[in-house]
Structures are given as C-alpha cells and as structure tokens.
Amino acid sequence: MKHGLFISFEGIDGAGKSSHVQALADAFRAQRRSVTVTREPGGTPLAEQLRSLVLNAAMDPLTEALLMFAARRDHLFEVIEPALARGDVVLCDRFTDATFAYQGHGRGFDLAVLAGLESWVQTVPALPAGTLRQPDLTLWFDLAPEVAARRLAGARAPDKFESESVEFFRRVAAGYAQRMAAQPARFERIHADQPLEAVWTDVVDAVRQRGWLA
Ligand code: TYD
C-alpha cells in the first residue's frame, strides 16, 4: 500500500510561498520521493482556463466560488488523486483554505455554502464515506498585509485579487487564522516576515517534525 502525501501552501498575495514550493519539491526529490507540483486554481488544462477567467473577469461571489470549486474538482480527479494513489508527494500552491479565506472572509460570501461545496467536491472514491480529501499538512505563510502590499508593489501588473485593498487582505488573513483554529493539527503557521533562509528553515522543520523528510 503506497502512501502519498498532500501538502498545501497558503497565505495572502505577497506572502512569498511560491519559491518554497519548488525548494520543498527539490528536498523531497533528493530523498528519492516522486513529487507532483501543482497549483490552484489550475493544474489541469480545464482548470487553467477557469483560472484565467476567475483571476481576470469581474463576477459575483457565488460565481467566483463555484468556478474555484469546479476547477478544484477537475484538478482533484485528474491530478491530485492519481498522484496520491501512485504514492507521490503532492505540493499544491493553494487549495480550499484559499476559498474560505478569499471568497468567504475576503468577499464575505456565506461560509456554510462554501462548507457544503467543500464536502461535495472533496468526496473522492479513495476515501471512506464521510471523509473528505484534505491536505495532510497546510503551510500557512503568515505576513502582515501592509508588508505583503509593499512586497507586491511594482512586482508586475496585479491581477484581480492582487489589486484588492489592505483591508481585504486583513480579512483574508483572519480567514486563514480561523481555518487553522478549526483544524490545528493540519496547519503549520510559518512566520513569513523573516529572511528567506529563516522561512525555509521553518518550512523544512515543519515537514521533518512529521517524519516526512530525513
Ligand atoms: P496565486 O496563488 O497568488 O498565484 P500567483 O503567485 O501566480 O499570482 O494566485 C491565485 C489567486 O487566486 C490568489 O490571489 C488567491 C486567489 N484564490 C482565491 O481567491 N480562491 C481560491 O480558492 C484560490 C485557490 C485562489
């Protein structure tokens, strides 16, 4: 019986998670693990098309949430579930916590509706009835919205979410904090307001503590 590992990376825009996705992939590969690196929204041809719509077009919050979950369903079935079944380490740049944080807390969309969609979308054949596919570990890169905004400024043309206010990102961060409080065992909070090497050390420690990296 092979055991895959599912790790998601979360945080507000500008928190600096993405470089650590690649570095962690390299660390696992160095220990002869097969790694699938992917992202949300996206990760399949269909979900990447949905990504470009949802990151660029204006739409109401329900449409936005439905597109996020539609992309997720395709991504789960086409990429994540097959990779976990092969025994891969799956490193996913954002997953459902982002929907709760951005669409739920950021936009103010109904959290109970999101929880309903979560349970529909993350019910998968590999798991017993009543169990949802969730990451084994979520690394939450926590950074003050003001600092993240300074990091993003001038980096490149901002997309729909990156153009949001500091207030919006304060709500998004509160959303992540709430998700972590509800499922503490799954989360590791990474203090992202440190030099890159120190952040990386914390990332590796979180994975090592769980016995997943030597
Ligand atoms: P991001 O992960 O930051 O990628 P990049 O670094 O290439 O910009 O971009 C994804 C954006 O989508 C980000 O602003 C958060 C948003 N998002 C949601 O609002 N809800 C979701 O469920 C997901 C997965 C992402």
Side-chain angles (χ1 to χ4, degrees):
M1 179 81 184
K2 285 181 187 167
H3 284 288
L5 204 53
F6 182 16
I7 302 177
S8 64
F9 294 69
E10 297 283 0
I12 61 172
D13 288 273
K17 62 188 161 45
S18 297
S19 63
H20 298 287
V21 180
Q22 279 308 330
L24 194 58
D26 292 342
F28 274 112
R29 286 183 181 124
Q31 299 191 5
R32 309 178 67 84
R33 289 292 303 249
S34 177
V35 182
T36 294
V37 176
T38 189
R39 68 171 181 181
E40 291 210 347
T44 69
L46 173 62
E48 289 291 332
Q49 288 191 46
L50 294 174
R51 177 188 177 95
S52 69
L53 290 172
V54 84
L55 262 53
N56 296 298
M59 58 188 70
D60 87 282
L62 175 57
T63 307
E64 197 172 275
L66 290 171
L67 290 180
M68 293 295 182
F69 274 113
R72 182 161 301 130
R73 180 77 174 174
D74 190 57
H75 186 217
L76 260 178
F77 274 66
E78 296 298 325
V79 173
I80 297 176
E81 290 299 313
L84 293 175
R86 288 194 300 271
D88 276 19
V89 177
V90 176
L91 303 181
C92 193
D93 195 340
R94 301 189 183 282
F95 195 63
T96 303
D97 298 311
T99 315
F100 280 83
Y102 280 77
Q103 281 64 54
H105 291 259
R107 299 262 191 253
F109 188 70
D110 191 331
L111 297 175
V113 173
L114 296 182
L117 291 168
E118 177 184 38
S119 67
W120 275 94
V121 167
Q122 289 162 233
T123 295
V124 296
L127 294 176
T131 315
L132 302 185
R133 176 64 71 203
Q134 295 287 11
D136 299 299
L137 170 64
T138 296
L139 298 167
W140 170 33
F141 291 74
D142 188 21
L143 186 67
E146 296 80 2
V147 180
R150 281 201 295 278
R151 284 190 186 175
L152 278 181
R156 61 176 171 192
D159 66 32
K160 192 175 87 182
F161 293 103
E162 289 161 352
S163 313
E164 287 287 349
S165 65
V166 164
E167 263 320 305
F168 176 87
F169 286 112
R170 213 182 300 289
R171 293 195 299 276
V172 173
Y176 281 124
Q178 189 171 311
R179 288 286 278 181
M180 178 165 168
Q183 302 174 51
R186 172 165 73 81
F187 272 87
E188 197 72 47
R189 182 171 162 209
I190 305 289
H191 297 279
D193 197 2
Q194 307 181 78
L196 187 78
E197 302 72 40
V199 174
W200 170 242
T201 300
D202 288 353
V203 168
V204 172
D205 283 350
V207 178
R208 281 209 187 109
Q209 271 165 25
R210 288 165 173 79
W212 296 335
L213 268 179

